[in-house]
């Protein structure tokens, strides 16, 4: 049986029923109003792509994804990945989620109900989700071994086009290797961050659930194709 490490519990804002999801070691859980999230909370104060919980070095961290109303832990607004401990309260401005310890009985119940979130295996193809700005909610499948990200302009030749004047032309490059995806900054004007770490031209390895900040745009990296990316389109130059 898969070992359970934590669970998320909240009250559905419409049915008032208690909802639970179990997280196993290595799990990544996206939270938001959009149906392509792992945890969907249909409440007006929740952004379409609001926050992400990721497993890093034995600890679950929660990170805001540029949401409109912010993410809070124990009523403190977070601006960077924040470690979670049993009993913490995650607040999405109005809705609250309890972060609790879980046991194997929780795994059995969650498996039967389909509410268990496990680690994502690297399959070679990933995806990006734009979580703020004009293209919020757009899912970009990473179907090529190398893709360049840049500002959307009439004569752009890069594969991923972002409608953001603070994005350089081009801005960054994604490359797929045997061990996973890497991102490289292309000497952009406003820089590239992975969570809070500055990306250089030497590159940085990506992990499932990483938050990418390019200029004023925030994107979520998933190490696999999301449900929505099966039908999403992305602009291609050349």
């Amino acid at each position: 049986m898969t070992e359970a490490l934590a669970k998320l519990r909240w009250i559905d804002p419409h049915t008032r029923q208690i909802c639970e999801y179990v997280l196993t070691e290595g799990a990544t859980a996206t939270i938001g109003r959009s149906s392509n999230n792992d945890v969907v909370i249909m409440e007006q104060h929740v952004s379409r792509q609001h926050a992400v919980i990721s497993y890093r070095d034995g600890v679950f961290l929660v990170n805001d994804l540029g949401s409109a109303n912010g993410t809070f832990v124990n009523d403190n607004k977070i601006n960077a990945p924040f470690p979670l401990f049993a009993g913490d309260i995650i607040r999405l401005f109005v809705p609250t989620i309890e972060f609790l310890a879980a046991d194997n009985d929780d795994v059995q119940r969650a498996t039967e109900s389909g509410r268990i979130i496990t680690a994502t295996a690297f399959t070679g193809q990933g995806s990006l989700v734009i979580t703020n700005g004009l293209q919020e909610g757009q899912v970009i499948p990473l179907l090529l071994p190398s893709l360049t990200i840049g500002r959307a302009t009439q004569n752009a030749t890069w594969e991923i086009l972002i409608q953001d004047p603070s994005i350089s032309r081009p801005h960054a490059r994604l490359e797929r290797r045997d061990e996973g995806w890497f991102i490289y900054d292309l000497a952009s004007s406003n820089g590239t961050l992975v969570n809070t770490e500055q990306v250089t031209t030497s590159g940085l390895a990506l992990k499932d659930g990483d938050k990418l900040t390019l200029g004023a745009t925030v994107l979520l990296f998933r190490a696999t194709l999301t449900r929505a990316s099966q039908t999403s389109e992305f602009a291609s130059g050349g």
Side-chain angles (χ1 to χ4, degrees):
M1 180 179 290
T2 305
E3 182 182 2
L5 295 183
K7 62 182 176 181
L8 306 175
R9 177 190 291 164
W10 73 97
I11 296 175
D12 185 284
H14 299 291
T15 67
R16 309 309 298 171
Q17 293 182 334
I18 295 175
C19 302
E20 283 189 355
Y21 269 86
V22 166
L23 308 179
T24 63
E25 183 176 357
T28 295
T30 60
I31 306 171
R33 203 174 67 243
S34 175
S35 61
N36 67 339
N37 287 283
D38 298 298
V39 175
V40 179
I41 301 180
M42 297 296 293
E43 205 278 342
Q44 62 179 343
H45 296 93
V46 177
S47 292
R48 281 181 283 182
Q49 316 289 334
H50 198 110
V52 60
I53 296 175
S54 305
Y55 188 79
R56 300 284 186 271
D57 301 321
V59 177
F60 282 107
L61 307 171
V62 62
N63 203 359
D64 184 77
L65 292 175
S67 66
N69 293 312
T71 301
F72 303 76
V73 176
N74 301 327
D75 281 333
N76 295 310
K77 189 174 184 178
I78 63 169
N79 297 302
F82 193 88
L84 292 169
F85 299 95
D88 282 346
I89 302 296
I90 304 166
R91 182 163 62 84
L92 310 180
F93 192 70
V94 172
T96 59
I97 303 171
E98 295 178 272
F99 181 83
L100 303 166
D103 56 32
N104 287 329
D105 288 339
D106 292 316
V107 170
Q108 184 172 349
R109 288 193 298 270
T111 302
E112 292 171 355
S113 66
R115 293 194 168 192
I116 185 168
I117 301 173
T118 58
T120 299
F122 175 66
T123 61
Q125 293 181 337
S127 54
L128 295 176
V129 184
I130 301 176
T131 65
N132 71 336
L134 294 175
Q135 294 164 271
E136 180 187 355
Q138 181 180 346
V139 181
I140 304 165
L142 306 180
L143 303 178
L144 303 175
S146 179
L147 302 107
T148 300
I149 306 171
R151 190 192 315 169
T153 60
Q154 188 172 3
N155 58 349
T157 59
W158 28 93
E159 291 80 20
I160 300 175
L161 308 179
I162 307 294
Q163 298 176 41
D164 177 357
S166 67
I167 295 282
S168 292
R169 302 174 289 175
H171 194 106
R173 185 177 73 255
L174 291 163
E175 286 189 3
R176 186 178 68 219
R177 301 182 188 172
D178 290 341
E179 63 270 34
W181 284 92
F182 288 73
I183 187 168
Y184 302 82
D185 186 78
L186 299 178
S188 63
S189 298
N190 293 310
T192 302
L193 293 176
V194 173
N195 301 317
T196 58
E197 188 171 353
Q198 192 79 38
V199 180
T200 68
T201 54
S202 299
L204 195 65
L206 292 175
K207 297 179 181 179
D208 188 40
D210 276 344
K211 172 184 174 180
L212 313 183
T213 305
L214 286 71
T217 297
V218 178
L219 306 98
L220 173 70
F221 171 75
R222 297 308 310 262
T224 186
L225 294 176
T226 67
R227 292 186 296 273
S229 66
Q230 305 298 328
T231 55
S232 284
E233 297 180 355
F234 64 94
S236 176

